[in-house]
Amino acid sequence: LFDGSVILNRPKVAQESAPKVEPQPEAGQPRSYTSPQVQDKVLTLLTEAQGTLSFDRGWVTRYDPLAASLEVLGCLAGHKKELLPGQMLSLNESASGWAVRHRKPRIDHNLASTQGRFQDYKQLYRDKYRCTLVIPFFVRGRVGGTVTLSSKTAAQYEAPESESRKLEAITTQLAHLFDDPAY
């Protein structure tokens, strides 16, 4: 029944080309959301926000729940050394992480009291910023990321709820941007 000729002969079917496999991030390495298209869109939205609410420096982060971190996507008037696109912020060591964990906006009028524990405030404190506002935005009912605005004017931002209403159009556009599967 088994004479070995079938097993030892050359295959009758030609080799098929293997499908192209996209490189996947290694296990434990978070996926990066930073791309030139996203950075351009974020800068456009931050420029629009400057017309609505006055600020000297602003940035947008994207929350990755699997990596439990936030990725900086773009900065407006950012410092060259810190908070560059692609930089990761910890949930426990950043004001943006605090806003994600508590799912509500945060205003800080005294950066000296928080600069030691929030890595995203360290450069702001060195550059003598006086006030910050961190607003989370939501994608499909979950926190998608944050918008952080900072000012050198003391008490620039007062009530978190009214300030977040002023930026509602911007946060809605960010939510639509990240709800799009292309991003």
Side-chain angles (χ1 to χ4, degrees):
L1 186 63
F2 296 106
D3 63 358
S5 64
V6 174
I7 295 174
L8 298 175
N9 283 344
R10 294 175 38 134
K12 305 271 191 245
V13 179
Q15 284 283 6
E16 292 183 22
S17 61
K20 186 177 180 181
V21 177
E22 294 292 323
Q24 298 293 325
E26 294 179 22
Q29 196 175 46
R31 173 184 173 217
S32 177
Y33 294 95
T34 304
S35 70
Q37 297 86 5
V38 171
Q39 289 178 24
D40 289 342
K41 184 67 174 172
V42 165
L43 290 177
T44 303
L45 291 173
L46 285 173
T47 304
E48 287 178 29
Q50 228 170 8
T52 307
L53 198 60
S54 178
F55 64 93
D56 297 311
R57 188 181 292 174
W59 63 89
V60 173
T61 63
R62 171 85 163 126
Y63 173 53
D64 184 357
L66 297 176
S69 65
L70 294 141
E71 180 180 9
V72 177
L73 298 178
C75 299
L76 187 63
H79 196 271
K80 289 183 174 39
K81 292 183 182 175
E82 294 197 20
L83 295 176
L84 298 173
Q87 180 179 345
M88 302 304 267
L89 299 173
S90 167
L91 279 182
N92 296 327
E93 297 174 356
S94 66
S96 298
W98 185 95
V100 168
R101 287 192 329 266
H102 294 278
R103 299 176 54 92
K104 64 182 183 179
R106 174 186 180 93
I107 292 180
D108 286 303
H109 293 286
N110 183 5
L111 297 183
S113 66
T114 59
Q115 66 90 22
R117 67 183 179 135
F118 290 151
Q119 68 190 63
D120 49 351
Y121 280 7
K122 288 183 181 187
Q123 189 63 43
L124 294 175
Y125 177 72
R126 285 185 213 127
D127 292 345
K128 301 195 182 343
Y129 280 79
R130 307 284 306 271
C131 187
T132 60
L133 169 67
V134 183
I135 299 173
F137 62 88
F138 298 87
V139 177
R140 287 184 247 137
R142 296 185 177 162
V143 177
T146 62
V147 177
T148 303
L149 307 177
S150 56
S151 175
K152 289 190 174 185
T153 306
Q156 175 79 24
Y157 313 113
E158 288 302 320
E161 291 77 23
S162 67
E163 303 293 357
S164 38
R165 269 188 241 112
K166 290 178 187 176
L167 291 175
E168 195 170 300
I170 305 303
T171 56
T172 302
Q173 289 180 16
L174 283 168
H176 289 307
L177 174 70
F178 296 118
D179 196 27
D180 184 3
Y183 292 102

